[in-house]
Structure formats: C-alpha cells, structure tokens
Amino acid sequence: MHIAVCIKQVPDSAQIRVHPVTNTIMRQGVPAIVNPFDLFALEEALRIKDQSGATITVLTMGPPQAEDALRKCLSYGADRAILITDKVFSGADTLATSYVLASALRTLDAQQPLDLIFTGKQTIDGDTAQVGPGIAIRLGYQLLTYVSAIRELNVDARQIFVERRAEGGVQVLQSTLPAVITMLEGANEMRFADMPGMFRAARQEVERWDREAAGIADIKQVGLKGSPTAVAQVFGPKPKAVKAVRIEGDTPVALADAFVERLFTDFPQLEDALLDHLDQLADLGAKS
Amino acid sequence: MSDALDSAKPIKKPKRVLPEHFKSYTGVWVFIEHERGHVHPVSWELLGKGRLLADSLGVTLAGVVLGGTDETVRALTDEAIAYGADQCYLMQSEVLADYRNQPYTAGMTTLVNTYQPEVLLLGATTQGRDLAGSVATTLLTGLTADCTGLEIDMSDRSLLSSRPTFGGSLMCTIVNLATRPQMATVRPRVMPMPERMDGRSGEVITHALDLTEDAVVTKQVDFIPDARADKPQLAFSDFIVSGGRGLAKPENFDKVFDLARVLGAEVGASRPAVHAGWVDPERQVGQSGKTVRPKFYLAAGISGAVQHRVGMEGADVIAAINLDAKAPIFDIANYALVGNALELLPALRDAFARRLAATRAHRAAAPAEPVATETEERN
Ligand SMILES: Cc1cc2nc3c(=O)[nH]c(=O)nc-3n(C[C@H](O)[C@H](O)[C@H](O)COP(=O)(O)OP(=O)(O)OC[C@H]3O[C@@H](n4cnc5c(N)ncnc54)[C@H](O)[C@@H]3O)c2cc1C
Ligand SMILES: Nc1ncnc2c1ncn2[C@@H]1O[C@H](COP(=O)(O)O)[C@@H](O)[C@H]1O
C-alpha cells in the first residue's frame, strides 16, 4: 500500500496583518506552517498505516524553505518526503500547480504504484479547493471530495467506501483505487509528534525534485506561463458610503430605547417584517 | 462587496492574446445545482447576477440543468427561465440521477465544447466546487474560486472576479487571460436573490449524454439526509443577533440568545466565540463560516475583522454594540451603539419587547393604518 499526501506550506494567516494605509501585506515575522487542512489528510493516511501498514510519501511544490513543512510531516510518521522545487514553477495558479503535482505523482507511481492520494480540503492562502480535483482529472483517478470518513478500504479488491459531505446530507460512495481524496476538516484529530519521531525527522533526507526529476514534459504548462488566471488587482475592503449613526443615551436603558425608536423610524418596514416574522413563528409553534 | 472595485488602483492585466478559436465563444451560463429534488438557491442568485453580466455583454443568459430522467428535472428549466435565463441547456440521463463527479464532468464539458459559452458560473458549494475544479482542468481553462464579486471589463469583455485573499484580510480581482470559458464559483448568499417572473418564456436545448452506467466507476450506495430541524438555518434568516469575543464568557452568550428570542432571530457568532466552544460551529458567520443576508444584523462584542465582514455586510441594516468607538465594525454599521454589551443586550431585549408590544396594541386598536405606502418611498 502506497499513499501520497499533498501538503502545502502556508503563512499562518491568523497572524497576517495588513498595513492600514498602504493595504499591503506585512509578512515580516509571520510564521510558516503546514496548511491546517492538510493535517486531516495526513492523519487519515497515518491511520491507514497504523491499521494495515502503508508507505506514506508527503510531497509539496514550493520554495526551498517548504522543506520545514515536509519535515514536520515526517515527524508525525510519514516515511518519505519530496520537495518539488524549481524556479520555473513560481507564479503558478491552480491549473499549473495541479500539472506539476500530477507529473510528480506519475513519476512517484512509476517507482512504487500509488493506491491513494490525499489532499486537504483547501489551503488557507489559496483557498480554492481546486488542486485536488485538478490532480484527479489529470491522472484519471477517481475523485472523492469533502470526505468526512473512510468507511471501508479493501486494497486487495481495489475498493473503497467513503462518506462525502454533500449539500443536503452525506453521500456514501463506493469507488475503486487508485483514488484522490480531499479530506474534510474535523474528520479526525491530528496526533502529536513524539520524541523519536522528531529525531527521525531531523535526520531523514527530504528529496528534492526539480523539473526534470519530477518528469515534467511541457514547460509551457508550469509557473506563470502555464497559468490561465492572473491577479489583476488587490484592494482593501471598502468602507460603507454612509457613516454609522451613533446612538446616544445616558444609561443603557435610555440608549436601547433611543436605538429601537430610531431604527423603526428610519426603517418602518423592518418593524412590519419583524412583527410578521414573529406571527409566523407563533403559528408554527401553535401547530407543532 | 460586489461593486467594491477600487478605481484608485487600476486593473493590471498581463498581455496575452486570446487565441482565434476562443473568439466565437459567447453567452453567460449558470449551472443549476440541485440535489434530491431541491435546487440550491445559489443557482437563482447566480442567474440574477448572470442577467446583469449577459446584458452588459449583450449576449444571452443560459441555465444548465443536468440530472436524472424524471419530469422534476425537466421542470427546472422553467424555473431557470422564470429567474431570468433566456435559454436552458438540458441534459438528462440515468447516470446523472445523483451527483457524481465523473458523469457530471463529462456532461458539462460536452455541453461547453459543443455550445461554447464565454462565461460559466457555479455555486461555491461542495457540489459546485467539486464540479468546477474538474471541468476547468479538463478544459484547461482558468477558474476563480469562491468569488464575492463579478463584473465585466467592457474594454476586452473579460470577467473580473473578486474574492477575499490572504486569509480574507484583502480582496483581489482575478482575470482569465486567454482561455474560455471564464469560470468562477460564487459564494451562496452573496448575490441578491432575483425576482421570479412567471410567464417568461425561453428556449430549451436538450442534449444527450453519451455515457452508460457500466462506464461510471463511483457508485452512490446511500444518502443520509441532514436532520435539518435541529440545525441553525443562519444563511436564510432575516434577523440575526451575533456575539463575539467581547462577551468574554460562555454564560454571557445567554444574553445574545435572550435578545434573539424576543426578535425570533437566529444566533450567529464570530470565529473566536466558536473556537472557544461557546456556540455551535454552525453559527459562525464569515469567511470560514456562513455568508448571511438578513434584513437586520446585530453584532455584539465583535470587532469587525474583514473575515467576519465578508460574511455579513450584505445585511440590509446593521447595528453594532462595542465598547470601542473606533471598532472597525462601525465602518459598515448603520448604527453605532457604543457601550457595554453585557448591559446593552438585556436593555435591548426589554426595549424591543416593549416597542413590539406597544405597536401590536396600537394596531389592534386602530387597524389598517395606511403607513405602508409612505414607508415604501422612504426606502
Ligand atoms: C483564514 C481566516 C478565516 C477566518 N474566518 C473567520 C470567520 O469566518 N468569521 C469570523 O468571525 N472570524 C474569522 N476569522 C477571524 C477574524 O480575523 C477575527 O479574528 C475575528 O472575527 C475576531 O472576532 P471578534 O470580533 O469576536 O473578536 P475581537 O477581534 O477580539 O473583538 C472583540 C470586540 O469586542 C469588544 N468588546 C470587548 N468587551 C466588550 C463589551 N463588554 N461590550 C461590547 N464590546 C466589547 C472589543 O472592543 C472588540 O472590538 C478568520 C481569520 C482567518 C485568518
Ligand atoms: N503547492 C502545493 N503542493 C502540494 N500540495 C498542494 C499545493 N497546493 C495545493 N495543494 C494541495 O491541494 C489542496 C487544495 O489546495 P487549494 O486548491 O490551493 O485550496 C491542499 O489542501 C493541498 O493538499
């Protein structure tokens, strides 16, 4: 059993600040982390390894410093780590990214056949949820997105049953290996890395694949050149045209009364809607 | 944020020439998403927006319906036309009865390759995003995910898709340079719901799917519907009272629920309140939570970070309670209630209760007051 987990190193966006005047990102000192959604993917792979044994290869396309994120994954129990890095990859959108990852995965599959590929639901910086589907289409593997649980995995029969989050409920799907699974957050709880794991990860080699090693045939499909989309503009949120009316009152009670009075004077239809809504709720309550 | 393009900073597009064979691509398409007989309302919201885009491009607006062979699926084309579509593409097949990636991707790419639209919009739902990513990769075209704004740049007929970026702290506008169709998924509840116009007529174009069940690998063996009853229906609530970290303690959230009860409102929350475990994650409003469009939104002890704002700024009327008169939430609020939420929430509960009771009593005594006509002009 061979499982690949695609992870991405991302800036910890909870700590990103935007310069209030220039609207530029202040990146200094923002720590890089493994995309939190990818940890659910890794944990699910580790659980399969615990239960029935598997080799787990983590890979990422990114700059040299993304090695730290891969090492983190090794410390949790991944067996092999590959950093796909080359100057020509920079500026990639999701289409170019999935091209590079799919090429690398094909190369990896030729070394040791892949049964499953996991990705996170989405990244917290790109936030697109497109790379997983992109990989599946390019490889011609079955695509199982928003998976909340793996019900059954039968490697010999090449069969997998998963629960997939759909809009109005949960789909139970039966599919075949190899498949690409994008894992839903909250599907499991990430384990802690133990001391031996951390020592092992520190010593272990992170392989580096450049364009050739990754088996990339068409240079026109990677990086900026291979990206059909481009960011044309970045802007800050626009303040509302009208300024907020400040409600005054000496006491909380006076302020509250003044607000309700003002609100329903400015928006009388809101009071009508509210009364109608309350009547409807009362009707519903009476019926049930 | 649909019209938030900041004119101060010009749009910059890398130069790339649209290949000749894409120049004939025309029309705006909207994927009509449905599951088990239920249409996702984002489809109608997108038809509303699509109408505007098609009109500015001077092209037709089409709905795209894929589904099983029953009559209810065909009836969706009438619905789409009532919501503004000029045409509808209809593809019915047993293999499309339940949503599955492979047959839907095959169906959609077949339609695109045959009829060649210049814009293709889908809802940013689990179904829409699954399908959009696969279709875009198959067609090797550009796709912008989870947009909150769409506009047309008439200088070159390109679609300008805006969305939050960098964890939501900024917005960006993304363009598709030299491929067609220009694809985007759009968040539910961001675009307003269009008016339904019964009696509109339009053309229905049926197209067969050349795929049989034995060629479809993944099977749906079961569907477990959500027990909707006990889940908050935040996205569709007209009245919402939300609380944030400013409430400081889980038990203080009771004051939010108390006010909500008087208003028949749903309770929302900012992310820290959810992360602290004060309320159910279903209640989170914002970028990584729900987008809401209520008639009235009250934010208590919420600072107004962009990630929260993108989820609620579509509300008709916004009021905010905050100790800090400079809190960013006041930049988008209609009403600023500067003060302590722990005191103001109970005061508001009583004030609303008194007022509503008084209005009821007044109307019962003097029914059919002609206030309605006057109010319409006010807004
Ligand atoms: C990728 C990403 C996604 C995110 N998604 C979301 C999301 O979906 N939704 C979301 O909400 N956030 C989201 N966030 C978090 C967001 O950036 C903010 O951190 C969050 O919205 C702040 O919540 P808050 O306003 O409750 O808390 P704070 O920012 O701490 O604000 C608390 C406010 O309460 C006021 N206050 C304190 N005491 C009182 C009192 N007694 N009475 C009245 N006012 C008081 C303070 O003045 C302050 O303004 C996301 C962040 C990231 C990085
Ligand atoms: N550069 C990358 N390297 C490896 N995996 C990636 C990369 N970008 C995205 N992914 C994977 O694809 C998923 C979806 O990413 P995105 O489409 O950017 O939201 C992530 O959770 C990762 O598992």
Side-chain angles (χ1 to χ4, degrees), chain B residues 264-292:
Chain B
E266 199 57 83
V267 171
S270 67
R271 190 168 79 164
V274 168
H275 271 199
W278 299 349
V279 290
D280 190 281
E282 287 284 319
R283 299 198 182 277
Q284 184 174 321
V285 172
Q287 191 200 337
S288 45
K290 299 272 188 306
T291 300
V292 297

PDB file of all heavy atoms in Angstrom, chain B residues 264-292:
ATOM      1  N   GLY B 264     -37.223  36.660  17.564  1.00  0.00           N
ATOM      2  CA  GLY B 264     -37.365  35.476  16.721  1.00  0.00           C
ATOM      3  C   GLY B 264     -36.158  35.333  15.811  1.00  0.00           C
ATOM      4  O   GLY B 264     -36.250  34.819  14.695  1.00  0.00           O
ATOM      5  N   ALA B 265     -35.016  35.813  16.294  1.00  0.00           N
ATOM      6  CA  ALA B 265     -33.819  35.859  15.456  1.00  0.00           C
ATOM      7  C   ALA B 265     -32.974  34.602  15.639  1.00  0.00           C
ATOM      8  O   ALA B 265     -33.084  33.894  16.642  1.00  0.00           O
ATOM      9  CB  ALA B 265     -32.989  37.093  15.802  1.00  0.00           C
ATOM     10  N   GLU B 266     -32.135  34.350  14.669  1.00  0.00           N
ATOM     11  CA  GLU B 266     -31.159  33.267  14.757  1.00  0.00           C
ATOM     12  C   GLU B 266     -29.902  33.857  15.419  1.00  0.00           C
ATOM     13  O   GLU B 266     -29.643  35.053  15.298  1.00  0.00           O
ATOM     14  CB  GLU B 266     -30.859  32.776  13.324  1.00  0.00           C
ATOM     15  CG  GLU B 266     -30.255  31.413  13.225  1.00  0.00           C
ATOM     16  CD  GLU B 266     -31.083  30.314  13.881  1.00  0.00           C
ATOM     17  OE1 GLU B 266     -32.024  29.789  13.256  1.00  0.00           O
ATOM     18  OE2 GLU B 266     -30.756  29.980  15.040  1.00  0.00           O
ATOM     19  N   VAL B 267     -29.147  33.017  16.103  1.00  0.00           N
ATOM     20  CA  VAL B 267     -27.937  33.489  16.773  1.00  0.00           C
ATOM     21  C   VAL B 267     -26.707  33.159  15.931  1.00  0.00           C
ATOM     22  O   VAL B 267     -26.537  32.029  15.475  1.00  0.00           O
ATOM     23  CB  VAL B 267     -27.804  32.871  18.185  1.00  0.00           C
ATOM     24  CG1 VAL B 267     -26.435  33.178  18.791  1.00  0.00           C
ATOM     25  CG2 VAL B 267     -28.919  33.393  19.084  1.00  0.00           C
ATOM     26  N   GLY B 268     -25.888  34.176  15.707  1.00  0.00           N
ATOM     27  CA  GLY B 268     -24.632  33.987  14.989  1.00  0.00           C
ATOM     28  C   GLY B 268     -23.459  34.264  15.912  1.00  0.00           C
ATOM     29  O   GLY B 268     -23.642  34.654  17.068  1.00  0.00           O
ATOM     30  N   ALA B 269     -22.257  34.063  15.391  1.00  0.00           N
ATOM     31  CA  ALA B 269     -21.078  34.277  16.225  1.00  0.00           C
ATOM     32  C   ALA B 269     -19.856  34.559  15.368  1.00  0.00           C
ATOM     33  O   ALA B 269     -19.816  34.213  14.193  1.00  0.00           O
ATOM     34  CB  ALA B 269     -20.817  33.049  17.094  1.00  0.00           C
ATOM     35  N   SER B 270     -18.866  35.179  15.983  1.00  0.00           N
ATOM     36  CA  SER B 270     -17.579  35.339  15.309  1.00  0.00           C
ATOM     37  C   SER B 270     -16.756  34.078  15.564  1.00  0.00           C
ATOM     38  O   SER B 270     -17.103  33.251  16.402  1.00  0.00           O
ATOM     39  CB  SER B 270     -16.844  36.561  15.835  1.00  0.00           C
ATOM     40  OG  SER B 270     -16.477  36.337  17.179  1.00  0.00           O
ATOM     41  N   ARG B 271     -15.658  33.975  14.853  1.00  0.00           N
ATOM     42  CA  ARG B 271     -14.866  32.748  14.963  1.00  0.00           C
ATOM     43  C   ARG B 271     -14.319  32.477  16.362  1.00  0.00           C
ATOM     44  O   ARG B 271     -14.394  31.339  16.834  1.00  0.00           O
ATOM     45  CB  ARG B 271     -13.737  32.748  13.931  1.00  0.00           C
ATOM     46  CG  ARG B 271     -13.065  31.388  13.862  1.00  0.00           C
ATOM     47  CD  ARG B 271     -12.161  31.251  12.683  1.00  0.00           C
ATOM     48  NE  ARG B 271     -10.881  31.902  12.896  1.00  0.00           N
ATOM     49  CZ  ARG B 271      -9.814  31.677  12.140  1.00  0.00           C
ATOM     50  NH1 ARG B 271      -9.888  30.841  11.127  1.00  0.00           N
ATOM     51  NH2 ARG B 271      -8.697  32.303  12.382  1.00  0.00           N
ATOM     52  N   PRO B 272     -13.779  33.519  17.059  1.00  0.00           N
ATOM     53  CA  PRO B 272     -13.254  33.223  18.399  1.00  0.00           C
ATOM     54  C   PRO B 272     -14.324  32.629  19.322  1.00  0.00           C
ATOM     55  O   PRO B 272     -14.031  31.753  20.138  1.00  0.00           O
ATOM     56  CB  PRO B 272     -12.775  34.583  18.910  1.00  0.00           C
ATOM     57  CG  PRO B 272     -12.522  35.384  17.690  1.00  0.00           C
ATOM     58  CD  PRO B 272     -13.502  34.909  16.654  1.00  0.00           C
ATOM     59  N   ALA B 273     -15.562  33.107  19.198  1.00  0.00           N
ATOM     60  CA  ALA B 273     -16.629  32.588  20.056  1.00  0.00           C
ATOM     61  C   ALA B 273     -16.899  31.116  19.744  1.00  0.00           C
ATOM     62  O   ALA B 273     -17.210  30.326  20.633  1.00  0.00           O
ATOM     63  CB  ALA B 273     -17.898  33.416  19.858  1.00  0.00           C
ATOM     64  N   VAL B 274     -16.747  30.761  18.479  1.00  0.00           N
ATOM     65  CA  VAL B 274     -16.933  29.362  18.081  1.00  0.00           C
ATOM     66  C   VAL B 274     -15.739  28.517  18.544  1.00  0.00           C
ATOM     67  O   VAL B 274     -15.901  27.453  19.136  1.00  0.00           O
ATOM     68  CB  VAL B 274     -17.117  29.249  16.553  1.00  0.00           C
ATOM     69  CG1 VAL B 274     -17.014  27.797  16.097  1.00  0.00           C
ATOM     70  CG2 VAL B 274     -18.465  29.841  16.139  1.00  0.00           C
ATOM     71  N   HIS B 275     -14.542  29.067  18.317  1.00  0.00           N
ATOM     72  CA  HIS B 275     -13.338  28.318  18.702  1.00  0.00           C
ATOM     73  C   HIS B 275     -13.275  28.071  20.196  1.00  0.00           C
ATOM     74  O   HIS B 275     -12.796  27.036  20.648  1.00  0.00           O
ATOM     75  CB  HIS B 275     -12.081  29.072  18.238  1.00  0.00           C
ATOM     76  CG  HIS B 275     -11.687  28.682  16.856  1.00  0.00           C
ATOM     77  ND1 HIS B 275     -10.440  28.889  16.335  1.00  0.00           N
ATOM     78  CD2 HIS B 275     -12.400  28.094  15.879  1.00  0.00           C
ATOM     79  CE1 HIS B 275     -10.393  28.435  15.094  1.00  0.00           C
ATOM     80  NE2 HIS B 275     -11.582  27.962  14.792  1.00  0.00           N
ATOM     81  N   ALA B 276     -13.776  29.037  20.975  1.00  0.00           N
ATOM     82  CA  ALA B 276     -13.763  28.874  22.425  1.00  0.00           C
ATOM     83  C   ALA B 276     -14.815  27.870  22.870  1.00  0.00           C
ATOM     84  O   ALA B 276     -14.884  27.517  24.044  1.00  0.00           O
ATOM     85  CB  ALA B 276     -14.003  30.226  23.099  1.00  0.00           C
ATOM     86  N   GLY B 277     -15.643  27.422  21.934  1.00  0.00           N
ATOM     87  CA  GLY B 277     -16.652  26.426  22.263  1.00  0.00           C
ATOM     88  C   GLY B 277     -17.903  27.026  22.874  1.00  0.00           C
ATOM     89  O   GLY B 277     -18.733  26.317  23.430  1.00  0.00           O
ATOM     90  N   TRP B 278     -18.070  28.361  22.785  1.00  0.00           N
ATOM     91  CA  TRP B 278     -19.256  28.986  23.381  1.00  0.00           C
ATOM     92  C   TRP B 278     -20.515  28.629  22.620  1.00  0.00           C
ATOM     93  O   TRP B 278     -21.591  28.535  23.189  1.00  0.00           O
ATOM     94  CB  TRP B 278     -19.112  30.518  23.406  1.00  0.00           C
ATOM     95  CG  TRP B 278     -17.941  31.002  24.204  1.00  0.00           C
ATOM     96  CD1 TRP B 278     -17.159  30.245  25.051  1.00  0.00           C
ATOM     97  CD2 TRP B 278     -17.414  32.323  24.239  1.00  0.00           C
ATOM     98  NE1 TRP B 278     -16.178  31.030  25.598  1.00  0.00           N
ATOM     99  CE2 TRP B 278     -16.305  32.308  25.123  1.00  0.00           C
ATOM    100  CE3 TRP B 278     -17.752  33.522  23.620  1.00  0.00           C
ATOM    101  CZ2 TRP B 278     -15.559  33.445  25.387  1.00  0.00           C
ATOM    102  CZ3 TRP B 278     -17.015  34.657  23.889  1.00  0.00           C
ATOM    103  CH2 TRP B 278     -15.925  34.617  24.774  1.00  0.00           C
ATOM    104  N   VAL B 279     -20.403  28.505  21.299  1.00  0.00           N
ATOM    105  CA  VAL B 279     -21.570  28.156  20.482  1.00  0.00           C
ATOM    106  C   VAL B 279     -21.177  27.147  19.407  1.00  0.00           C
ATOM    107  O   VAL B 279     -19.995  26.956  19.110  1.00  0.00           O
ATOM    108  CB  VAL B 279     -22.200  29.393  19.779  1.00  0.00           C
ATOM    109  CG1 VAL B 279     -22.879  30.306  20.768  1.00  0.00           C
ATOM    110  CG2 VAL B 279     -21.173  30.137  18.965  1.00  0.00           C
ATOM    111  N   ASP B 280     -22.182  26.556  18.818  1.00  0.00           N
ATOM    112  CA  ASP B 280     -22.037  25.558  17.766  1.00  0.00           C
ATOM    113  C   ASP B 280     -21.336  26.141  16.523  1.00  0.00           C
ATOM    114  O   ASP B 280     -21.644  27.267  16.124  1.00  0.00           O
ATOM    115  CB  ASP B 280     -23.466  25.119  17.396  1.00  0.00           C
ATOM    116  CG  ASP B 280     -23.475  23.922  16.488  1.00  0.00           C
ATOM    117  OD1 ASP B 280     -23.248  24.110  15.266  1.00  0.00           O
ATOM    118  OD2 ASP B 280     -23.716  22.824  16.998  1.00  0.00           O
ATOM    119  N   PRO B 281     -20.414  25.392  15.913  1.00  0.00           N
ATOM    120  CA  PRO B 281     -19.721  25.889  14.715  1.00  0.00           C
ATOM    121  C   PRO B 281     -20.668  26.287  13.571  1.00  0.00           C
ATOM    122  O   PRO B 281     -20.328  27.142  12.753  1.00  0.00           O
ATOM    123  CB  PRO B 281     -18.855  24.704  14.282  1.00  0.00           C
ATOM    124  CG  PRO B 281     -18.682  23.884  15.500  1.00  0.00           C
ATOM    125  CD  PRO B 281     -19.905  24.099  16.345  1.00  0.00           C
ATOM    126  N   GLU B 282     -21.858  25.680  13.540  1.00  0.00           N
ATOM    127  CA  GLU B 282     -22.850  26.043  12.520  1.00  0.00           C
ATOM    128  C   GLU B 282     -23.212  27.525  12.586  1.00  0.00           C
ATOM    129  O   GLU B 282     -23.786  28.073  11.656  1.00  0.00           O
ATOM    130  CB  GLU B 282     -24.130  25.230  12.722  1.00  0.00           C
ATOM    131  CG  GLU B 282     -24.019  23.775  12.339  1.00  0.00           C
ATOM    132  CD  GLU B 282     -24.058  23.595  10.831  1.00  0.00           C
ATOM    133  OE1 GLU B 282     -24.861  24.270  10.177  1.00  0.00           O
ATOM    134  OE2 GLU B 282     -23.263  22.773  10.326  1.00  0.00           O
ATOM    135  N   ARG B 283     -22.923  28.152  13.710  1.00  0.00           N
ATOM    136  CA  ARG B 283     -23.334  29.545  13.892  1.00  0.00           C
ATOM    137  C   ARG B 283     -22.291  30.549  13.433  1.00  0.00           C
ATOM    138  O   ARG B 283     -22.520  31.745  13.475  1.00  0.00           O
ATOM    139  CB  ARG B 283     -23.658  29.795  15.369  1.00  0.00           C
ATOM    140  CG  ARG B 283     -24.796  28.914  15.884  1.00  0.00           C
ATOM    141  CD  ARG B 283     -25.369  29.466  17.175  1.00  0.00           C
ATOM    142  NE  ARG B 283     -26.425  28.605  17.695  1.00  0.00           N
ATOM    143  CZ  ARG B 283     -27.684  28.659  17.284  1.00  0.00           C
ATOM    144  NH1 ARG B 283     -28.042  29.533  16.356  1.00  0.00           N
ATOM    145  NH2 ARG B 283     -28.581  27.847  17.794  1.00  0.00           N
ATOM    146  N   GLN B 284     -21.135  30.075  13.014  1.00  0.00           N
ATOM    147  CA  GLN B 284     -20.086  31.024  12.634  1.00  0.00           C
ATOM    148  C   GLN B 284     -20.428  31.788  11.367  1.00  0.00           C
ATOM    149  O   GLN B 284     -20.763  31.210  10.342  1.00  0.00           O
ATOM    150  CB  GLN B 284     -18.754  30.300  12.455  1.00  0.00           C
ATOM    151  CG  GLN B 284     -17.621  31.266  12.144  1.00  0.00           C
ATOM    152  CD  GLN B 284     -16.279  30.576  12.104  1.00  0.00           C
ATOM    153  OE1 GLN B 284     -16.004  29.684  12.905  1.00  0.00           O
ATOM    154  NE2 GLN B 284     -15.436  30.966  11.159  1.00  0.00           N
ATOM    155  N   VAL B 285     -20.305  33.101  11.464  1.00  0.00           N
ATOM    156  CA  VAL B 285     -20.543  33.972  10.321  1.00  0.00           C
ATOM    157  C   VAL B 285     -19.196  34.468   9.819  1.00  0.00           C
ATOM    158  O   VAL B 285     -18.361  34.883  10.616  1.00  0.00           O
ATOM    159  CB  VAL B 285     -21.414  35.184  10.726  1.00  0.00           C
ATOM    160  CG1 VAL B 285     -21.502  36.200   9.598  1.00  0.00           C
ATOM    161  CG2 VAL B 285     -22.801  34.714  11.138  1.00  0.00           C
ATOM    162  N   GLY B 286     -18.973  34.409   8.516  1.00  0.00           N
ATOM    163  CA  GLY B 286     -17.743  34.970   7.978  1.00  0.00           C
ATOM    164  C   GLY B 286     -17.111  34.107   6.928  1.00  0.00           C
ATOM    165  O   GLY B 286     -17.708  33.149   6.449  1.00  0.00           O
ATOM    166  N   GLN B 287     -15.893  34.460   6.630  1.00  0.00           N
ATOM    167  CA  GLN B 287     -15.194  33.814   5.526  1.00  0.00           C
ATOM    168  C   GLN B 287     -15.142  32.302   5.666  1.00  0.00           C
ATOM    169  O   GLN B 287     -15.377  31.578   4.710  1.00  0.00           O
ATOM    170  CB  GLN B 287     -13.785  34.365   5.445  1.00  0.00           C
ATOM    171  CG  GLN B 287     -13.077  33.968   4.180  1.00  0.00           C
ATOM    172  CD  GLN B 287     -11.584  34.088   4.343  1.00  0.00           C
ATOM    173  OE1 GLN B 287     -11.099  34.831   5.188  1.00  0.00           O
ATOM    174  NE2 GLN B 287     -10.855  33.360   3.540  1.00  0.00           N
ATOM    175  N   SER B 288     -14.806  31.822   6.858  1.00  0.00           N
ATOM    176  CA  SER B 288     -14.755  30.367   7.013  1.00  0.00           C
ATOM    177  C   SER B 288     -16.022  29.844   7.661  1.00  0.00           C
ATOM    178  O   SER B 288     -16.086  28.702   8.096  1.00  0.00           O
ATOM    179  CB  SER B 288     -13.497  29.943   7.772  1.00  0.00           C
ATOM    180  OG  SER B 288     -13.296  30.764   8.889  1.00  0.00           O
ATOM    181  N   GLY B 289     -17.029  30.697   7.739  1.00  0.00           N
ATOM    182  CA  GLY B 289     -18.333  30.273   8.238  1.00  0.00           C
ATOM    183  C   GLY B 289     -19.387  30.529   7.178  1.00  0.00           C
ATOM    184  O   GLY B 289     -19.152  30.331   5.994  1.00  0.00           O
ATOM    185  N   LYS B 290     -20.546  31.005   7.617  1.00  0.00           N
ATOM    186  CA  LYS B 290     -21.652  31.234   6.693  1.00  0.00           C
ATOM    187  C   LYS B 290     -21.659  32.672   6.179  1.00  0.00           C
ATOM    188  O   LYS B 290     -21.259  33.584   6.886  1.00  0.00           O
ATOM    189  CB  LYS B 290     -22.987  31.005   7.431  1.00  0.00           C
ATOM    190  CG  LYS B 290     -23.165  29.597   7.971  1.00  0.00           C
ATOM    191  CD  LYS B 290     -23.797  28.710   6.927  1.00  0.00           C
ATOM    192  CE  LYS B 290     -24.184  27.351   7.472  1.00  0.00           C
ATOM    193  NZ  LYS B 290     -23.122  26.609   8.143  1.00  0.00           N
ATOM    194  N   THR B 291     -22.157  32.842   4.960  1.00  0.00           N
ATOM    195  CA  THR B 291     -22.494  34.173   4.483  1.00  0.00           C
ATOM    196  C   THR B 291     -23.978  34.369   4.732  1.00  0.00           C
ATOM    197  O   THR B 291     -24.776  33.491   4.419  1.00  0.00           O
ATOM    198  CB  THR B 291     -22.205  34.317   2.986  1.00  0.00           C
ATOM    199  OG1 THR B 291     -20.812  34.076   2.785  1.00  0.00           O
ATOM    200  CG2 THR B 291     -22.536  35.714   2.494  1.00  0.00           C
ATOM    201  N   VAL B 292     -24.338  35.492   5.304  1.00  0.00           N
ATOM    202  CA  VAL B 292     -25.744  35.731   5.634  1.00  0.00           C
ATOM    203  C   VAL B 292     -26.214  37.015   4.953  1.00  0.00           C
ATOM    204  O   VAL B 292     -25.408  37.879   4.610  1.00  0.00           O
ATOM    205  CB  VAL B 292     -25.948  35.828   7.168  1.00  0.00           C
ATOM    206  CG1 VAL B 292     -25.579  34.523   7.840  1.00  0.00           C
ATOM    207  CG2 VAL B 292     -25.148  36.985   7.769  1.00  0.00           C
TER     208      VAL B 292
END
